[in-house]
Structures are given as C-alpha cells and as structure tokens.
Amino acid sequence: MATMNLSSKGEHELIPMEQMTARPLEHEDEDDYCGTSHSSISVDGDDDEGERLLARQKSNRVGFERSYAKARNKLRCIYFLGSFAYSIYLPFFVLFMKNEIGLSAGEVGLVGALQIVGGYLVGPPVSLLVDWLSVKLDCLKFRIHKYMWIASMLACTIPVQLIPLANNFASALVIAIMVSGLNAPVSSIQDASTLGFLGKESHEYGKIRFWGAIGWGLGSLMGGSIAQFFGMQYAFRLFGVGTVANAAIVLSLDFTTIQKAEESSAAGSAGGGGSSSDSVPFHHSIRRLVPTWSYALCLFVAVVAGFGGSSLQSLLLIFLSDLGAPDFLEGLALSVATISELPVFWASGYVIKRYGASSLLCASLLALTIRSILVSFLTNPWMVLPLQLLHGFTFAGTWTAGVALAKENSPVGLETSGQSVFSLSFNGIGGLSGAIVGGQLYDLVGARTMYRIKAMIFAATAILYALTLTKPKCCVK
C-alpha cells in the first residue's frame, strides 16, 4: 500500500494513499507549505514511482513471455530435426544390415539387442551425473544440460557416417553400439529440458513432441526415396546434416527460461519459500528414484509395450521386405505410422488431464494387441498402410503417458534421471527383450506366428493392468 509523509511542526505521520482524499490536510495556511501543498508533490512523485514500477513489471513479464514463446518454437524445431534425422538412420540401418551385409533376422535382432544394452549402460549413469553436477554446481546448472546435449548429438554423427563401410556382423555391431552409447543421454535430457521449459504447462508436452512425429514422417518418406534412387549412403549423410543443424538450435536455447519458470512455480506453490531440492540431500533424492509398487507396475507395462514396439518397427520392415515391398513402400509405411501419431500427441494433454496417464497407457496396450493380430494376417504388403494408423496409440500414447508418469514420480533435482528410468523400461528392457525374442521367433516360427504370440502377451498384460485401474490415476505417489 502506497504511503506518504506529511510534515507538521517537525513531526511525521504516515498516511495511506487511499485515505488522502478523505482526510483533510492540517496547517494548510502555514508558511512551511509556501502556498503549495507538499502532499500533492509527494503524491505525484509516488505515483510516478509506482507507474515506473508497474512498467518495469510489465516489461519483465512481456520479456519472459517472449523468451518462453521463442523457447517453445525452438523446441518444436529440435524435436522435428531430431526425429527427421533418426527416421533415416534407424530403419535404413536395419535394411542395410539385411540387404547389403546379408545378416539374418536373428542376427539383426541380436545387433539391435546389444545396441540397446550399450546405450543403457551409458544413458542412466550419464543422466544421473548431469543431475548431480547440476545440484553441486548450481551456477553451471543449465549449461551442463545444454552442452552435454550438444556433445552427444554431434558425437553420434561420426559412426553413422561409417555405416557404408560395414561388411560383416562384427562391424555392424560396433557401429550400432557406438551410436547408441554416444546418443544415450539425448532423449532424457531433451524430455526433461522440455518439461522444464513448459513449467506448469507440462501436460502440453505432447503438443511439442507432436513436431517430432512430423519430422519422423517426412524423414522416413525422404529417406526411402533417397535410398531407392541414390543409395543408402546418401540417406546416412542427410542424417549428419540434420543433426548438426539441430545442435545449432540447441546451442541458441536460453536455459535461464527454465530457471525463471522454476522460480515462478516455487513462488506460487510455496509462497516464495524456495525449492524443496535445497533441503533434501542429493543421495536421499536418489533413493526416491526407486519406484513405488504402483509406479513399478506402470514401468512393467512400459516394458511390455517396448517389447512389442520393436517387432512393429524394425522386424516389420523385414517382414514387408520378405513380402516383396519396395524401399519406397517401407518409407511410406513409416510416414503413415508417423501421421497417426499427430492427433494422439496433440490430444494427449487433454486425455491425461481428464482420464489420467495410466488410462492412456492401458489404451495403448490394447491398440498394440489389435495391431499385432492384424499384421500377422498380411499377404499384400501395401495393406500395411491402413494398419499403420494404429501406431499413434501404440507409440505416441505409450510415450506421452510414460513421460507424464515419470515426471510425477521423479524427485526434485532428478528430473533427467527420472525420464531415464522410464526410457530404460520402454526402450531399454522392453526393446532389448523384444529384439532378442522377436528376432529368434522370426527365424524359428516365422513372422506371422511371432506376431500372434506377442499379441497374446499384450492382451494378457492389458487385462491385468486394466483390473488395477480402480482410481483415475493409479500411479501417482
């Protein structure tokens, strides 16, 4: 409340500004006032100072909103370019191993499995190290995330450019492990940073991740065309160009926007009392990464979903190739699958707020069951295109639900590590087991029987998980 000083015979009295019009001034005729009311001078000066303060606050607010909007636009570009690049590397490396090197489906599955092992021997420890350094070196908190992010992206471009030199199982395996190990921290840092930039609007993560789906679709289509008309080595070069451009955008991100969002959130939730991370030792926070039984159940479902996802991506391309599909169709199939992600990513925020992330995770598992059954009956490779529309739930639904659950269950200061736990479950354990078991089943019983066996596993898991959803959000601590 604004106030002013009135001087009367050497005494001072504080009078609220709101009472100035109701309270008469004393000694208006005394010589001390020189025919001019000091009160009017003080009021005018105080009003000017208040207006300047309001102007500064408005300017700061506008500046923050502009920084926030720029950060969100850059994050959209980062997800777009990152997914664009990896939609070229991942599927066409699988085809390169099968068609150019001559590996069997089992050998391709083994490479994929060992690639996952290499990545997750590196990813979680590096994520934990980044979080620890951020806590210990608070002045470098956001720089550590940024430069680790950039270094990982740039380093993994080197082995990708060496793929055309691979000519046997061992060389393909070395390249695969190098890529996964160098790129391992990127996903967790990227998702944790995005949630940090979003602040209280973290449920809008799907609308940012939405642009990754667009990038994946365009990259798959372009990569398929380049591979068919010019050769796969040119597709891998395009990966390098996209990744370098992406690193440049990350370098331009203003990570202090995260700090401002955190301070605003802390002030709103704790009355400016500061972050709870200040009062909890780091080693005590690590213990909280151990999931509760309800969250552990969600992670198990993520493992099963990852188990199925590997067979509906890399092994699906091999199945289509066996059915006589051209490279262009394989790229087009990936593009259609990516298009199906768009509405799911866009609407995921509403679904999670209305029904809970656990419900979305369960629905994704049911979609995975249906998709696996339908794929097992394919005879015409072109008929895979309408079936790819279910990919929106099987991947986008699982991923957005998992990221939301990981955020809810991550200790303050360990957000990157928390995302790494979910990624380890879905892509690591699930992807690893799916690649090993799927590849072996493909060789032993064929693709159709493999998909039907997996469909039974998905159906059983979905039914059991649905029975536990007695509350809207079963996985909240």
Side-chain angles (χ1 to χ4, degrees):
M1 181 173 62
T3 61
M4 60 165 280
N5 290 330
L6 288 180
S7 180
S8 176
K9 298 182 180 180
E11 297 179 356
H12 299 274
E13 180 184 6
L14 282 176
I15 300 178
M17 289 294 297
E18 291 85 345
Q19 299 178 12
M20 288 304 300
T21 57
R23 181 171 177 175
L25 294 176
E26 299 178 2
H27 310 292
E28 289 188 21
D29 298 329
E30 289 192 10
D31 294 340
D32 290 340
Y33 289 85
C34 301
T36 304
S37 172
H38 285 194
S39 63
S40 62
I41 298 176
S42 298
V43 170
D44 292 342
D46 201 52
D47 285 345
D48 291 341
E49 183 178 353
E51 290 175 359
R52 287 194 296 268
L53 178 60
L54 290 174
R56 284 197 299 269
Q57 291 175 342
K58 183 178 180 180
S59 177
N60 291 339
R61 184 170 61 252
V62 171
F64 174 76
E65 290 173 353
R66 288 177 179 174
S67 299
Y68 181 70
K70 287 180 181 179
R72 293 186 68 162
N73 289 333
K74 289 179 180 179
L75 287 169
R76 293 184 181 102
C77 292
I78 289 168
Y79 276 99
F80 175 87
L81 286 175
S83 297
F84 179 91
Y86 274 87
S87 70
I88 296 171
Y89 157 69
L90 287 174
F92 293 103
F93 182 41
V94 170
L95 293 176
F96 183 87
M97 288 189 287
K98 181 179 184 295
N99 299 333
E100 303 296 327
I101 302 179
L103 302 184
S104 67
E107 289 174 321
V108 172
L110 183 58
V111 169
L114 295 176
Q115 179 181 23
I116 292 170
V117 171
Y120 284 98
L121 287 175
V122 176
V126 172
S127 297
L128 191 61
L129 175 63
V130 169
D131 283 334
W132 179 77
L133 290 174
S134 297
V135 172
K136 292 296 182 181
L137 305 174
D138 189 61
C139 59
L140 299 177
K141 179 176 181 179
F142 303 106
R143 294 182 185 178
I144 292 170
H145 285 78
K146 174 189 283 191
Y147 294 123
M148 179 62 73
W149 190 355
I150 293 171
S152 296
M153 285 196 299
L154 293 179
C156 75
T157 61
I158 298 173
V160 172
Q161 303 310 307
L162 299 177
I163 290 176
L165 302 178
N167 54 14
N168 53 41
F169 175 82
S171 57
L173 178 61
V174 169
I175 289 174
I177 292 177
M178 287 178 63
V179 173
S180 63
L182 293 171
N183 186 63
V186 170
S187 177
S188 298
I189 294 176
Q190 181 168 289
D191 285 336
S193 298
T194 300
L195 292 172
F197 276 108
L198 291 175
K200 294 180 180 180
E201 297 181 3
S202 59
H203 61 278
E204 297 293 331
Y205 164 84
K207 291 184 178 180
I208 301 294
R209 183 62 180 79
F210 168 93
W211 292 92
I214 295 178
W216 188 278
L218 292 178
S220 299
L221 189 60
M222 186 176 294
S225 301
I226 291 175
Q228 183 166 352
F229 294 108
F230 300 100
M232 290 190 183
Q233 66 271 22
Y234 290 98
F236 296 136
R237 291 176 186 175
L238 184 59
F239 168 89
V241 173
T243 302
V244 171
N246 209 18
I249 297 175
V250 174
L251 183 63
S252 69
L253 273 176
D254 180 11
F255 271 63
T256 58
T257 304
I258 297 181
Q259 184 175 13
K260 293 174 183 176
E262 289 180 351
E263 291 173 352
S264 175
S265 178
S269 61
S275 174
S276 60
S277 61
D278 296 335
S279 58
V280 180
F282 185 79
H283 63 279
H284 289 170
S285 295
I286 293 177
R287 296 176 186 173
R288 293 182 59 198
L289 283 175
V290 178
T292 60
W293 73 268
S294 55
Y295 184 44
L297 180 60
C298 293
L299 293 178
F300 171 74
V301 174
V303 169
V304 175
F307 176 83
S310 61
S311 62
L312 287 169
Q313 292 186 18
S314 58
L315 294 179
L316 178 61
L317 294 180
I318 295 177
F319 182 42
L320 293 177
S321 180
D322 290 343
L323 292 176
D327 289 342
F328 175 77
L329 174 58
E330 291 165 345
L332 181 60
L334 294 174
S335 297
V336 172
T338 304
I339 291 173
S340 72
E341 296 176 10
L342 301 181
V344 179
F345 274 130
W346 192 263
S348 61
Y350 169 79
V351 174
I352 289 172
K353 288 186 70 175
R354 180 72 181 271
Y355 302 104
S358 300
S359 298
L360 179 58
L361 186 60
C362 186
S364 301
L365 203 57
L366 290 173
L368 193 60
T369 304
I370 296 170
R371 186 182 177 199
S372 297
I373 293 173
L374 294 177
V375 167
S376 73
F377 288 99
L378 274 179
T379 54
N380 182 346
W382 288 91
M383 290 304 296
V384 76
L385 296 179
L387 302 186
Q388 290 293 82
L389 295 175
L390 287 171
H391 176 77
F393 274 105
T394 60
F395 172 73
T398 302
W399 190 262
T400 50
V403 168
L405 290 167
K407 182 179 185 298
E408 291 176 5
N409 291 272
S410 297
V412 176
L414 288 174
E415 292 83 2
T416 302
S417 300
Q419 294 300 325
S420 184
V421 170
F422 163 68
S423 183
L424 173 64
S425 302
F426 181 68
N427 290 324
I429 300 173
L432 172 63
S433 57
I436 295 176
V437 176
Q440 295 302 316
L441 285 175
Y442 194 107
D443 287 340
L444 292 174
V445 300
R448 301 183 190 281
T449 305
M450 176 203 70
Y451 282 118
R452 290 165 190 169
I453 291 173
K454 287 195 169 188
M456 289 189 288
I457 296 174
F458 306 147
T461 305
I463 292 172
L464 291 174
Y465 185 53
L467 293 175
T468 68
L469 299 182
T470 57
K471 297 180 180 180
K473 294 184 180 181
C474 75
C475 299
V476 180
K477 285 186 177 179

